[in-house]
Amino acid sequence: MKQKKLVLTWEEVQELADLVPVEAALLNLATASLKHAYAPYSNFHVGAAILLESGEMLGGSNQENAAYPMCLCAERVALSAAASQHPNIVIKTMAITVKAPNQVIGQPAMPCGSCRQALCEKEYQQKQAIRLVVRGEKGSIYCFKSAKDILPFSFDASFL
Ligand code: THU
């Protein structure tokens, strides 16, 4: 039997001012997007913001529904907004942040599995990695060079 190992490298910065200005601005847009979350059921607000290759930024937030499985995650709301409003423009970076009802989240709140899959699909489509900048409500910020880094062994169209 052969033992194999997976090594993940990512960057950690302590505060917003330690990011390059465009990424600090993107994280600020994700934070501003929190207030547009519609989350009356979980009260868990998620803000996402996308930086396009054109330099344009757009935000998204989670949108819940009384029929719970219909809830939309902020990351996929932002991805859909980019795909429908700016088709064919490469997504360079996504910033994500959260605000929870009962606790101050002091560590990066990572995208759920479905959002990781959606981000990987976009990477596959645009043939370019999407950088991720992720923060909780406060605390350190994690930066990943690709969505694939947080979805190892991912399924994509190359299998079809
Ligand atoms: N949520 C997101 O918006 N993104 C994620 O990656 C995880 C979860 C939302 C869905 C739901 O509205 C709330 O957070 C609680 O799960």
Side-chain angles (χ1 to χ4, degrees):
M1 196 217 295
K2 216 169 163 186
Q3 293 283 349
K4 300 201 170 186
K5 190 160 78 174
L6 186 69
V7 177
L8 176 61
T9 306
W10 74 97
E11 299 158 20
E12 179 177 358
V13 300
Q14 292 312 312
E15 43 196 304
L16 202 69
D18 298 330
L19 291 171
V20 295
V22 69
E23 289 187 356
L26 195 66
L27 197 45
N28 279 335
L29 177 58
T31 303
S33 300
L34 288 171
K35 66 174 179 294
H36 305 305
Y38 174 66
Y41 306 105
S42 70
N43 279 312
F44 188 83
H45 291 209
V46 185
I50 280 175
L51 172 66
L52 300 172
E53 204 169 47
S54 59
E56 198 160 340
M57 294 182 190
L58 55 159
S61 52
N62 54 328
Q63 303 295 319
E64 298 187 345
N65 193 287
Y68 293 171
M70 287 180 63
C71 291
L72 302 173
C73 289
E75 296 89 330
R76 279 177 283 160
V77 168
L79 283 173
S80 300
S84 45
Q85 291 169 37
H86 303 277
N88 308 319
I89 303 189
V90 164
I91 294 176
K92 284 186 72 177
T93 311
M94 177 182 280
I96 304 157
T97 189
V98 296
K99 188 159 174 42
N102 305 318
Q103 55 168 330
V104 175
I105 298 186
Q107 70 210 37
M110 297 297 295
C112 73
S114 296
C115 289
R116 294 177 197 209
Q117 183 71 26
L119 283 157
C120 286
E121 180 76 22
K122 179 51 77 174
E123 288 188 343
Y124 188 88
Q125 183 195 6
Q126 68 180 20
K127 297 182 185 63
Q128 203 169 302
I130 300 174
R131 186 171 156 83
L132 301 175
V133 177
V134 191
R135 183 175 64 173
E137 186 176 346
K138 66 174 184 108
S140 65
I141 301 160
Y142 286 178
C143 303
F144 301 89
K145 64 181 188 314
S146 168
K148 261 197 151 175
D149 288 353
I150 59 165
L151 190 62
F153 303 106
S154 57
F155 182 82
D156 65 29
S158 67
F159 291 104
L160 300 176

